[in-house]
Amino acid sequence: MVHAMQHSLNGSTLKPGEVQLEVQDVKLRFGGVTALAGVSLTVKQSEIIAIIGPNGAGKTSLLNCISGLYRPQEGRITFHNRGEAYELTQLPPHQIAKVGVARSFQNIELFKHMTVLENLLAGCHVHMKTNIFQAALYWGKAQREEIAYRKFVEEIIDLLEIESIRKKTVGTLSYGLQKRVELGRALAMQPAILLLDEPMAGMNTEEKEDMARFILDVNEEHGVTIVLIEHDMGVVMDISDHVVVLDFGRKIGDGTPDEVRKNPRVIEAYLGEEAGSFSLF
Amino acid sequence: MESGIFHSSYEKDMALRHTPIEKARLALVILFLLVFPFVADNYWLNLANTIGVVAIGAIGLNILTGFTGQISLGQGAFLAVGAYTAALMSIHMGAPMWLTIPAGAITTAIIGAIFGIPSLRLKGLYLAIATLAAQEIIIWVITHWDAVTGGVDALNTKNYLWFGDDHHFFTEFQFYWIILALAALVTIASVNIFRTRIGRAFIAIRDQDIAAEVMGINLFKYKMLAFATSSFFVGLAGALIAHWRQIVTWERFTIEVSIFYLAVIIIGGLGSVSGSIYGAIFMVMLPAMLNNLGRALSGVVPGMDAIIPFIQQAVFGVVIILFLIFEPEGINKMWKNIRDYFRLWPFSY
């Protein structure tokens, strides 16, 4: 039986449709290589935005800039939450997590010796308050906090239908389940915005359908904004409200799935010149 | 044999022990530890005390190296910081043991955190070399800062109960209780730490530091915390050694000690509190048992006494190699496998 969650997964204070994330003219270079050559985009609260583009277009680089792993040389990334505008290019990654940005990785980066439960609880880190002395005693407050967050994490486990593996060590799980756990760990952060780097890569159709359903659940039931990198165009066109196309570090398309589909520059980037007669999507 | 574990609350599910058998096993261990000193002679008490002190130090090292993934070759020097702090406080200030032992632990925690700063930039072998530098620097300071540490001369620790007290000579029996109590506290505290967000942050840093950072774990803060927590326990072991052995000399805290402790946690089980204890038991008992064996054989095989030390070294090496090959996860994993076998027996599917 599906029952409503007691906790919200959404850590944003904005109303749907308000501007949440503004990326302005971000330029990122590694030595002589330009990864991002002035990318701008706007993400509104509670939408699903897909970033697509050929390999090496700079999609993951852009996500890394947003989550603070890369520092762009130029440009601004402004994030709105709790009545404040945070300049993400100035914050270290752990602070960015604290203000409400969660993400998953292209190559699963779970804590592989921990159980599923522990991975999800690790996602709750920023919300928990136990210090080392309380931890050593594990009495009263520390224990109550652990139990309270266990309840919260169990709701995510129910949502993602991973009850049967909650005590399994993550390293022993199949690829598809690990991807699901990684989504769970990001959700455990109660994010205001969720950055998903190829959440469906390497999955079969059924697993992709499940994952798409979870992403839609999180977005529709909880209103969490989702930024998604994905190569499966079927999925992208079906679930996203808004698609941004990158190629060689530049934005070549931005709009609804239909607009992007008809954009000649996008078709050119994907299929080369004179490809007008092919139907891409 | 049980058919399953059926919990009705998260609190029960999160308890450390679930079945009556597990609880009975713990009760047996406690009973043994309480009865043991009354039946053991001084030789066995000395061995038990050695195990206790090594276990405390090994738990400390395991928190840093096994759980947080920061390799440390500075264990010997950190033990020395705890031991010298306690010894010097008792000699120069007449400070009682209940003050010198915690002070030794806290001083070591601070020194350990300072030497942990390079860990923000260095990983793996590079960090090992940096902690090797810590080992050498600390021992160099101890042997050269004559005015404070007495240089290469040994210090005679005083065991006071109060300020202005006379020196007490504690027997092995009396020290057994002090060491046991502290070892129990350290074990409980460490196990508890790894039930909470702090311990999860440590393990997260070991398993996947970039993901940990993106999850909101401040790498610098938690690496420093791991160094401090680890060094606190190591310093505690050092201070205990100072009072128990009553002689503190730098020669007991060399790089060989650091390597011995690494062997303890590798054989016991990296990333396991109980593994640290199993490792301590194994690594203290093995040479002692080899000694006894040699002495027993010396009547039969002439000249055995002379070659025992060499055999000891060789067996040590062989044992470590065998563990790395056959059970890299250590005694803790072996014990787990045995438990699982009997828990599921005779239907192991």
Side-chain angles (χ1 to χ4, degrees):
Chain A
M1 190 191 85
V2 179
H3 55 89
M5 289 180 66
Q6 291 173 355
H7 300 84
S8 170
L9 291 177
N10 191 348
S12 177
T13 54
L14 302 177
K15 289 187 188 69
E18 288 181 333
V19 172
Q20 186 177 31
L21 180 76
E22 290 170 279
V23 177
Q24 288 165 332
D25 205 26
V26 164
K27 290 187 179 134
L28 177 72
R29 286 181 296 273
F30 298 108
V33 181
T34 302
L36 294 171
V39 172
S40 303
L41 60 92
T42 305
V43 181
K44 296 195 179 112
Q45 174 66 46
S46 300
E47 69 175 359
I48 297 183
I49 171 167
I51 302 176
I52 63 170
N55 287 323
K59 307 182 294 292
T60 299
S61 293
L62 180 61
L63 241 54
N64 284 346
C65 287
I66 298 172
S67 53
L69 294 175
Y70 291 163
R71 288 264 168 272
Q73 278 84 5
E74 285 173 51
R76 292 157 60 84
I77 301 173
T78 316
F79 180 67
H80 302 272
N81 195 14
R82 299 168 206 153
E84 304 224 23
Y86 300 98
E87 182 51 45
L88 300 189
T89 53
Q90 307 297 324
L91 293 178
H94 68 268
Q95 292 281 352
I96 292 176
K98 229 171 234 172
V99 303
V101 180
R103 74 171 284 182
S104 71
F105 294 87
Q106 187 174 356
N107 308 311
I108 301 167
E109 301 209 0
L110 286 165
F111 309 125
K112 65 175 185 214
H113 294 100
M114 291 187 190
T115 64
V116 171
L117 268 174
E118 286 167 338
N119 264 280
L120 298 188
L121 283 166
C124 301
H125 183 87
V126 290
H127 299 293
M128 300 175 84
K129 293 186 175 61
T130 303
N131 64 36
I132 184 85
F133 302 106
Q134 295 162 328
L137 288 174
Y138 195 74
W139 196 271
K141 227 176 110 186
Q143 190 182 16
R144 281 199 300 276
E145 187 178 65
E146 285 299 319
I147 293 169
Y149 278 90
R150 171 72 188 272
K151 281 182 189 151
F152 166 59
V153 157
E154 286 290 341
E155 294 192 335
I156 296 174
I157 288 176
D158 283 349
L159 177 81
L160 298 179
E161 297 164 11
I162 48 177
E163 294 91 342
S164 59
I165 55 163
R166 59 157 78 79
K167 287 191 177 170
K168 289 248 162 66
T169 307
V170 157
T172 64
L173 298 175
S174 70
Y175 180 84
L177 282 176
Q178 290 197 17
K179 281 266 178 197
R180 216 185 273 188
V181 175
E182 205 184 15
L183 173 66
R185 185 180 66 177
L187 289 175
M189 294 170 69
Q190 291 174 280
I193 189 167
L194 186 55
L195 316 175
L196 301 175
D197 196 347
E198 301 199 21
M200 293 159 204
M203 288 185 168
N204 64 31
T205 312
E206 198 184 339
E207 287 170 329
K208 276 184 190 177
E209 283 169 2
D210 282 343
M211 187 56 93
R213 181 163 54 84
F214 296 136
I215 292 171
L216 286 171
D217 273 354
V218 170
N219 176 257
E220 285 170 7
E221 310 261 323
H222 297 274
V224 179
T225 314
I226 287 167
V227 178
L228 175 83
I229 295 179
E230 186 48 57
H231 282 295
D232 186 319
M233 288 308 148
V235 173
V236 166
M237 295 299 155
D238 276 353
I239 71 173
S240 41
D241 302 312
H242 176 181
V243 179
V244 169
V245 192
L246 295 186
D247 190 24
F248 292 112
R250 287 172 204 284
K251 190 168 82 170
I252 57 168
D254 191 342
T256 63
D258 274 333
E259 287 164 6
V260 167
R261 199 184 310 228
K262 291 176 195 133
N263 184 332
R265 287 182 66 197
V266 175
I267 296 170
E268 190 189 307
Y270 266 88
L271 292 180
E273 284 177 62
E274 300 176 53
S277 59
F278 288 93
S279 169
L280 174 56
F281 304 114
Chain B
M1 200 185 89
E2 82 243 1
S3 59
I5 303 165
F6 307 103
H7 289 305
S8 49
S9 76
Y10 290 132
E11 191 179 344
K12 280 187 193 145
D13 190 49
M14 289 155 76
L16 293 172
R17 278 157 228 286
H18 302 292
T19 63
I21 294 175
E22 284 173 328
K23 284 173 189 156
R25 213 156 47 203
L26 179 68
L28 269 180
V29 171
I30 292 172
L31 189 69
F32 171 78
L33 291 173
L34 295 180
V35 172
F36 174 79
F38 296 102
V39 295
D41 59 11
N42 249 4
Y43 172 76
W44 283 98
L45 279 171
N46 183 279
L47 271 184
N49 287 343
T50 312
I51 290 171
V53 170
V54 172
I56 295 173
I59 291 173
L61 181 63
N62 221 338
I63 289 175
L64 185 62
T65 301
F67 285 103
T68 319
Q70 314 295 307
I71 301 175
S72 169
L73 287 173
Q75 176 83 357
F78 294 142
L79 282 167
V81 172
Y84 272 87
T85 306
L88 292 170
M89 278 179 76
S90 74
I91 293 167
H92 297 303
M93 297 160 59
M97 286 164 68
W98 52 263
L99 194 65
T100 58
I101 293 176
I106 291 168
T107 310
T108 315
I110 295 166
I111 303 270
I114 292 170
F115 279 102
I117 291 172
S119 71
L120 190 66
R121 293 273 166 194
L122 304 176
K123 282 186 206 172
L125 287 176
Y126 298 92
L127 180 64
I129 297 301
T131 55
L132 179 63
Q135 167 79 34
E136 297 303 325
I137 290 167
I138 290 171
I139 296 299
W140 190 88
V141 168
I142 285 172
T143 51
H144 288 77
W145 197 12
D146 296 24
V148 175
T149 64
V152 291
D153 297 331
L155 296 176
N156 287 307
T157 319
K158 302 288 180 216
N159 295 345
Y160 301 125
L161 293 181
W162 303 102
F163 281 100
D165 199 2
D166 287 331
H167 173 68
H168 291 268
F169 181 78
F170 291 112
T171 61
E172 292 284 351
F173 179 83
Q174 285 164 320
F175 254 108
Y176 177 87
W177 297 107
I178 298 174
I179 293 172
L180 177 64
L182 286 173
L185 281 178
V186 167
T187 306
I188 295 167
S190 316
V191 169
N192 282 343
I193 286 171
F194 291 99
R195 299 168 80 185
T196 64
R197 70 191 278 264
I198 309 282
R200 283 191 297 269
F202 289 167
I203 300 172
I205 289 172
R206 176 194 69 193
D207 277 3
Q208 201 50 266
D209 55 349
I210 290 174
E213 205 178 6
V214 171
M215 294 291 115
I217 294 166
N218 183 342
L219 290 189
F220 185 68
K221 181 180 155 192
Y222 279 90
K223 280 182 179 176
M224 290 302 98
L225 190 61
F227 266 95
T229 313
S230 159
S231 305
F232 183 88
F233 292 149
V234 176
L236 186 70
L240 270 174
I241 291 173
H243 285 288
W244 170 47
R245 299 286 195 201
Q246 288 183 37
I247 292 174
V248 176
T249 152
W250 67 275
E251 288 162 320
R252 287 204 175 140
F253 305 109
T254 56
I255 179 78
E256 281 169 44
V257 176
S258 304
I259 293 168
F260 170 83
Y261 274 91
L262 277 176
V264 168
I265 60 169
I266 289 170
I267 287 179
L270 287 169
S272 154
V273 174
S274 45
S276 319
I277 299 170
Y278 304 148
I281 295 171
F282 187 84
M283 290 294 279
V284 172
M285 294 293 277
L286 182 66
M289 292 305 105
L290 284 174
N291 250 337
N292 292 347
L293 186 70
R295 231 173 275 140
L297 286 177
S298 64
V300 190
V301 187
M304 194 69 191
D305 285 338
I307 54 168
I308 288 172
F310 304 110
I311 295 180
Q312 264 188 28
Q313 296 285 333
V315 169
F316 246 58
V318 169
V319 164
I320 292 175
I321 291 170
L322 289 180
F323 262 103
L324 290 178
I325 294 172
F326 293 108
E327 193 49 276
E329 289 176 64
I331 301 173
N332 184 53
K333 185 66 192 293
M334 289 164 74
W335 171 226
K336 215 177 190 171
N337 290 345
I338 295 170
R339 264 180 347 212
D340 286 347
Y341 178 80
F342 282 106
R343 194 163 57 83
L344 300 171
W345 187 87
F347 305 111
S348 57
Y349 39 80

